[in-house]
Amino acid sequence: MIATIHRGLEMSARPLLLLPVATVLLGLSACSSSPASGPGPTASAPTSAAAATGTPGASAAAAATAADCPSATTLQTLVELPKGSSLTTVKCFKDWAAADPQGPTAGDGVYLFRYVTGTGWKYYDQGSGWDCKDLGLSEPAPFCISDPVTTTTKPVNSAATNATCPSAKTLESLVELPKGWTFGGVECVKDWAGADPQGPKAGDGAYLFHFVTGTGWKYYGDGSGYDCKDLGLTEPAPFCIS
């Protein structure tokens, strides 16, 4: 009887011992199947991030290393033009560029720009009659006056000893006019001559020439509003203000 009771107690107590063990095993299984809570693998940086470490403005610096002749639109961004005015024809020589202004209040002469390595084109001055030597140029340019280099002594001819009023053709040989342009009437006072330009887009004012004894007629400038006193004239002239 006692043995029967003891066997019954063992059978009733066995499930009580197994249930906690099963519970623990299920808990461990659940923990092992869940993903790790730590940080994931580090993603590789995008290629654009590597590009962002390059030197900023590299393309702009590259563009500022070659003195290609700029457009009128490019040069207009460097100056403040009068209202309604714009730059048109651009003439370049080495690291210099000259642009003609057009508009209701266009000033005398042209706008002159200079190319600076590493910086680009910069405004230099406005006017006419610059000396090529002052600009560092040893050869003629369409926007400055260059004295001819005399290598041999030549006899002075009659054409270089008197200021006879020259023809339009003679004056055209002294300057480089825009394509399709010519000189119309020529008006002379003493040793000065003014020639009116004629062409598809004739500019403001006239081309002014000065007679130099021993050399002949030389280009002086183009524009309008010259002061006669500055030209050494004490009498009125059609190309200056007295």
Side-chain angles (χ1 to χ4, degrees), residues 39-216:
T42 303
S44 60
T47 55
S48 59
T53 60
T55 304
S59 59
T65 57
D68 295 329
C69 193
S71 65
T73 302
T74 297
L75 296 180
Q76 284 178 190
T77 64
L78 304 179
V79 294
E80 183 178 356
L81 296 172
K83 187 176 181 181
S85 299
S86 62
L87 298 180
T88 55
T89 307
V90 178
K91 298 178 182 179
C92 295
F93 188 82
K94 292 189 174 181
D95 53 355
W96 294 92
D100 293 322
Q102 281 193 351
T105 57
D108 178 32
V110 299
Y111 282 76
L112 188 62
F113 301 84
R114 188 176 189 181
Y115 181 86
V116 180
T117 302
T119 303
W121 289 98
K122 297 179 65 177
Y123 170 76
Y124 180 81
D125 196 8
Q126 181 189 10
S128 60
W130 292 287
D131 190 319
C132 294
K133 292 180 181 179
D134 293 339
L135 303 180
L137 299 175
S138 57
E139 48 194 303
F143 45 78
C144 62
I145 303 170
S146 179
D147 292 329
V149 178
T150 305
T151 55
T152 58
T153 303
K154 296 182 180 180
V156 178
N157 54 37
S158 59
T161 56
N162 62 86
T164 303
C165 194
S167 66
K169 292 294 183 182
T170 298
L171 297 181
E172 285 175 11
S173 66
L174 302 179
V175 294
E176 183 180 356
L177 292 173
K179 187 177 181 179
W181 288 40
T182 59
F183 283 142
V186 177
E187 298 177 288
C188 298
V189 175
K190 291 190 174 180
D191 52 358
W192 292 93
D196 293 324
Q198 293 183 348
K201 295 181 179 180
D204 180 31
Y207 280 69
L208 189 61
F209 298 84
H210 189 211
F211 183 84
V212 179
T213 303
T215 303

